[in-house]
Amino acid sequence: MNASYDPRAADCLVDACVAVETEARYRDLPPAPSDRIFAVMENGQLLGIVSERQAALFPDRIFADLLLLRQPPTVAATTSLEQTLARLEEGPWDSLPVTNDEGTFIGVVTRLSVFRCLLQREQASRERLASTIRLLEEELTHHRMAAAVFEATSEGILVTDAQARILYVNRAFVETTGYTLEEVAGKTPHVLSSGRHDEGFYRAMWGKLLSEGRWSGEIWNRRKNGEVYPEYLHIDVIRDKHGQPHRYVGVFSDMSRDQEVQRQLYDLAFHDPLTGLPNRALFRERLTAAIGHAQRTKERFAVMFLDLDRFKEINDALGHSAGDALLQEVGQRLRSTLRESDTVARMGGDEFTLILCGMEHEGDSRTVARKVLAAFDRPFQLADRELRVSASIGIACFPDHGDNAETLMRHADTALYAAKQGAGSRWCVFEPGMGRRASERLELANALRAALDSGEGLHLAWQPQVHLGDGRVVGVEALARWVHPRLGPISPARFIPVVEETGLAPKFTAWLIEAFCGDLKTLLLTQPQDSLQFALNFSARSLHEPLLPDILGEQLGRIALPPGRVEVEITESSLMGEDSVQVRTLQRLHELGVQLAVDDFGTGYSNLAYLLRFSVDRLKIDMGFVSGMEHNVHNRKLVEAIIRMAESLEIEVIAEGVESETQRQMLLQMGCRKAQGYLFARPMVMAEFMHFLGAR
């Protein structure tokens, strides 16, 4: 090994990095004996990196869909190890892409690979130390350039006489210990003693020194200011012509910095830098230990996967700094809720894992789950705002649901997914049927991707919006529908979350705009409409597409439809965003002339400041409030309050889900003028809608 070895990021690249194309799938790759990191490439450019575990969880997905929204930053090939460690500490990632001087991706570094490079550098330092010693012995023996080497070396050196009285020290000795030659001359090295070593230690050291002529090892000494520090010390005996000890030469290097780096490396390798909780590696280590203990003692324990509900919406609405602060608070609250013997770890993102030891019965895990969820009843205080957050929990118990780490983790994750299909703040214990449902969801995602590629099975249904007074059709809303060739009609409540969670949102949005404008072109060519307003739903994820206004404006231009005739419907949570791309997208839609409606108003944040900030044109009262007006006084009061508020802000109101004449009359009395629902018409394909308009 080169004694001057000074590794950089390019020297720490992992061998297990595999380049894959965006359309590749994990299932098609040959197996490997160790965990890999997949570099997802497109046209020779790096799009991001995906871990082995992430890919293995979804083996049928293409790698492009596995890319996380927040990718780790790249580091230059010449970046020092200290700077590389600092970049790893900046975010919740275990690996970083590395680029050369031309910006070309060349590989990946991980905390473990950097740790190995540091160990190699330490070995090189020791070799350099040994080389310095050999050179010093030669120079002292032959009296050549001894003084220059003595002063130039970065390691501390002291020379004593045969009675171990200090004769000379070099500059590095003074800088390390704080003692000058005048202060230690004539004294023994005992002046540096830390008191941490007993007489037996020094007796053994001198015994080996006199018998073998040298000694090396780690030792604790004390600086002049009283600070105790570790050093690596090598002592050589220089003998006279009679073979008797004439001088003792000690060369040492301060190890305190290296030990601090090693401590930081350990923390980075086994703890999450954001929350301080054990990370994935330490969690797996403790889970393996828990399995071994339970097998010996015949005890039971539980593994829980906990995931925050709608965490991405919080990140999008309030920013990543608020999301990080929330994760830290969640970590602290979980630690305070559980016992010291339990393990709370953060696996990444908003996913936490728990190991609950000593569970006598499966019911004990259910009790703990209720206790954990009860901890989320209190709002979280983030800076100047209160935030209420719910969570979902999946539970797998040893040995009922698995006798190894992989099975327990997979089943807890499957139970978590089942819990998240509920209405929030739920827990589920693993059942065999859950795995089948997870597979069905993956099958649904693959089928939807194929449908978007081919266009088969997807279409728009159009639901009229009418004036409550005279029944005139004043607008129409386009609703996405999907008919699977084998499963039949798939509810939007099932496939829209799949779109949002699997990275299909950009492709789905493009299809939605194209289908919307295609249907309108058919309508306007045969039945020109001068007064109808045309509404289209967009998700919060769609608003993160900076080209959305350009695409919509271009498509509307092709059918000669003024943007003012188009209304974009978004949810309340979409308005909460502080993300610059999302805010700019809304502003550009407004500048384009597109109308803005807030869908399902009253079910989310209901923040008036955001209604004014984004110049909202319409509020759509959620059908859940409308359907309950006839029998629920609270619903009636809430609907009336929304209408009054909208009037004061000069914002139009449309009621959704009107299904009875009584509801229509009540809305009219409250001052609502427009509505949609089954009382007037069900959603229909464009041909049926055109016939509906002609008949009226």
Side-chain angles (χ1 to χ4, degrees):
M1 182 181 296
N2 188 345
S4 60
Y5 180 67
D6 184 19
R8 299 290 169 164
D11 300 310
C12 303
L13 301 180
V14 297
D15 295 329
C17 179
V18 178
V20 295
E21 293 299 322
T22 56
E23 298 298 318
R25 289 179 169 84
Y26 177 79
R27 69 180 183 190
D28 299 325
L29 300 178
S34 60
D35 286 346
R36 294 168 289 184
I37 299 174
F38 299 99
V40 184
M41 312 292 292
E42 184 175 52
N43 297 325
Q45 298 295 320
L46 176 71
L47 297 184
I49 58 179
V50 176
S51 68
E52 178 96 4
R53 179 181 179 274
Q54 183 184 354
L57 286 175
F58 306 100
D60 291 323
R61 293 187 187 174
I62 62 173
F63 277 94
D65 292 343
L66 298 177
L67 293 175
L68 299 179
L69 184 60
R70 187 182 180 191
Q71 280 290 322
T74 61
V75 295
T78 57
T79 304
S80 68
L81 299 188
E82 287 74 12
Q83 291 174 324
T84 303
L85 283 176
R87 296 303 296 274
L88 284 166
E89 289 180 323
E90 289 175 0
W93 34 69
D94 296 319
S95 56
L96 297 174
V98 180
T99 58
N100 60 18
D101 293 340
E102 290 74 33
T104 303
F105 170 73
I106 61 173
V108 172
V109 296
T110 65
R111 292 187 173 94
L112 182 58
S113 70
V114 174
F115 177 73
R116 287 172 177 166
C117 282
L118 282 168
L119 292 179
Q120 291 174 352
R121 188 174 73 180
E122 180 181 349
Q123 179 63 31
S125 177
R126 294 191 178 186
E127 292 178 6
R128 186 170 62 253
L129 176 59
S131 176
T132 301
I133 293 170
R134 289 192 299 270
L135 179 60
L136 180 59
E137 289 175 342
E138 180 182 351
E139 293 301 319
L140 288 174
T141 303
H142 298 92
H143 302 284
R144 295 192 308 263
M145 299 177 67
V149 175
F150 189 75
E151 286 298 322
T153 182
S154 60
E155 280 76 23
I157 301 176
L158 74 159
V159 181
T160 74
D161 61 15
Q163 287 71 44
R165 293 187 294 264
I166 296 175
L167 300 175
Y168 311 106
V169 298
N170 70 343
R171 184 176 64 250
F173 174 95
V174 177
E175 293 172 351
T176 302
T177 67
Y179 289 105
T180 64
L181 176 59
E182 291 75 14
E183 292 173 313
V184 296
K187 299 180 181 179
T188 68
H190 185 72
V191 69
L192 303 174
S193 175
S194 66
R196 290 197 176 188
H197 305 290
D198 56 19
E199 291 184 5
F201 173 84
Y202 292 107
R203 189 183 306 114
M205 181 183 74
W206 277 101
K208 185 173 182 180
L209 185 61
L210 294 175
S211 63
E212 300 181 9
R214 64 184 58 200
W215 178 90
S216 60
E218 296 181 9
I219 188 171
W220 288 84
N221 275 339
R222 187 182 301 276
R223 308 186 205 273
K224 182 180 178 180
N225 63 9
E227 178 187 351
V228 175
Y229 69 99
E231 68 180 32
Y232 186 81
L233 174 63
H234 183 98
I235 306 175
D236 267 295
V237 179
I238 299 178
R239 302 182 183 275
D240 59 20
K241 61 182 179 180
H242 304 293
Q244 297 300 313
H246 177 62
R247 295 284 188 266
Y248 295 101
V249 180
V251 183
F252 64 89
S253 57
D254 188 345
M255 295 176 57
S256 56
R257 181 176 174 277
D258 289 343
Q259 288 199 343
E260 176 62 21
V261 170
Q262 290 181 13
R263 185 195 64 78
Q264 293 177 0
L265 281 171
Y266 178 84
D267 287 341
L268 285 172
F270 294 105
H271 290 85
D272 170 45
L274 179 64
T275 62
L277 295 173
N279 64 5
R280 183 187 308 274
L282 186 54
F283 171 79
R284 289 181 66 92
E285 184 177 296
R286 292 188 179 178
L287 179 57
T288 301
I291 292 172
H293 176 77
Q295 288 173 336
R296 292 191 301 272
T297 61
K298 307 302 180 183
E299 292 183 356
R300 301 168 58 89
F301 71 89
V303 175
M304 289 186 178
F305 274 31
L306 181 146
D307 191 84
L308 303 184
D309 299 321
R310 302 173 66 185
F311 178 72
K312 186 186 181 305
E313 293 183 17
I314 296 172
N315 254 350
D316 292 342
L318 305 179
H320 289 290
S321 59
D324 289 347
L326 174 61
L327 292 174
Q328 290 172 332
E329 289 294 323
V330 169
Q332 293 176 7
R333 196 169 289 189
L334 289 175
R335 275 187 294 199
S336 64
T337 301
L338 301 179
R339 304 166 299 180
E340 289 187 5
S341 59
D342 298 327
T343 292
V344 180
R346 180 182 175 221
M347 301 293 276
D350 61 330
E351 188 176 43
F352 294 82
T353 51
L354 293 72
I355 302 176
L356 310 175
C357 297
M359 299 283 105
E360 295 184 4
H361 308 285
E362 183 182 290
D364 295 342
S365 63
R366 302 170 188 262
T367 301
V368 176
R370 296 188 189 98
K371 180 181 178 182
V372 170
L373 292 179
F376 285 80
D377 291 341
R378 304 191 315 273
F380 291 86
Q381 189 69 39
L382 302 180
D384 58 345
R385 73 172 69 230
E386 279 192 353
L387 195 63
R388 292 192 175 273
V389 179
S390 61
S392 301
I393 294 177
I395 306 172
C397 298
F398 176 92
D400 301 340
H401 305 137
D403 59 1
N404 60 75
E406 290 295 337
T407 302
L408 287 170
M409 293 173 64
R410 185 174 68 252
H411 288 171
D413 197 31
T414 300
L416 172 63
Y417 173 73
K420 290 185 74 68
Q421 302 312 299
S425 289
R426 294 192 61 228
W427 52 266
C428 281
V429 178
F430 174 78
E431 297 176 0
M434 290 179 179
R436 184 180 65 256
R437 290 192 290 271
S439 298
E440 290 173 353
R441 179 177 177 275
L442 183 58
E443 180 185 358
L444 196 66
N446 291 331
L448 182 56
R449 183 178 292 105
L452 286 171
D453 290 336
S454 65
E456 297 179 2
L458 288 168
H459 68 275
L460 293 179
W462 298 81
Q463 185 171 34
Q465 299 170 338
V466 303
H467 191 283
L468 288 175
D470 54 21
R472 286 181 295 112
V473 178
V474 294
V476 60
E477 178 183 4
L479 304 168
R481 294 292 184 262
W482 180 28
V483 180
H484 190 279
R486 180 171 54 84
L487 302 176
I490 306 295
S491 167
R494 286 185 64 192
F495 73 79
I496 293 299
V498 174
V499 169
E500 294 291 314
E501 296 169 8
T502 57
L504 291 174
K507 185 177 291 188
F508 182 80
T509 301
W511 170 84
L512 189 64
I513 293 175
E514 185 176 352
F516 178 76
C517 292
D519 277 5
L520 288 185
K521 181 179 180 180
T522 301
L523 171 66
L524 297 176
L525 285 175
T526 56
Q527 298 185 29
Q529 302 291 328
D530 298 328
S531 59
L532 287 188
Q533 196 76 14
F534 303 105
L536 180 63
N537 283 284
F538 282 133
S539 67
R541 184 70 61 86
S542 299
L543 298 179
H544 283 83
E545 297 296 325
L547 296 180
L548 174 62
D550 296 329
I551 297 173
L552 181 60
E554 180 183 355
Q555 292 281 0
L556 293 177
R558 290 180 178 177
I559 61 174
L561 182 66
R565 298 277 304 281
V566 175
E567 174 181 287
V568 167
E569 295 186 4
I570 59 176
T571 60
E572 287 184 71
S573 59
S574 301
L575 292 181
M576 295 290 289
E578 297 294 340
D579 182 277
S580 59
V581 176
Q582 178 175 313
V583 171
R584 181 59 182 153
T585 299
L586 288 172
Q587 291 173 341
R588 291 190 59 209
L589 286 171
H590 180 71
E591 293 167 1
L592 191 65
V594 173
Q595 303 284 296
L596 183 61
V598 178
D599 199 9
D600 300 334
F601 189 78
T603 61
Y605 300 96
S606 304
N607 191 312
L608 301 185
Y610 285 99
L611 298 182
L612 298 174
R613 175 184 178 187
F614 293 104
S615 302
V616 171
D617 299 286
R618 289 173 192 81
L619 297 182
K620 301 193 71 176
I621 303 175
D622 182 70
M623 63 182 301
F625 302 131
V626 174
S627 63
M629 287 193 310
E630 296 164 284
H631 310 291
N632 190 317
V633 65
H634 297 293
N635 279 27
R636 289 198 299 273
K637 289 181 178 180
L638 180 58
V639 171
E640 190 168 12
I642 293 174
I643 295 172
R644 296 290 172 265
M645 177 204 67
E647 286 178 350
S648 65
L649 297 177
E650 298 182 350
I651 297 176
E652 193 175 47
V653 174
I654 297 180
E656 294 183 296
V658 178
E659 298 184 353
S660 70
E661 179 63 23
T662 302
Q663 293 170 358
R664 186 183 77 85
Q665 292 293 340
M666 294 176 68
L667 289 168
L668 268 175
Q669 293 173 5
M670 294 178 186
C672 179
R673 295 292 174 262
K674 296 180 181 180
Q676 65 188 85
Y678 287 0
L679 177 64
F680 314 109
R682 292 175 176 269
M684 59 194 85
V685 298
M686 177 52 71
E688 294 173 340
F689 177 64
M690 292 169 62
H691 179 74
F692 174 83
L693 287 178
R696 295 176 73 89

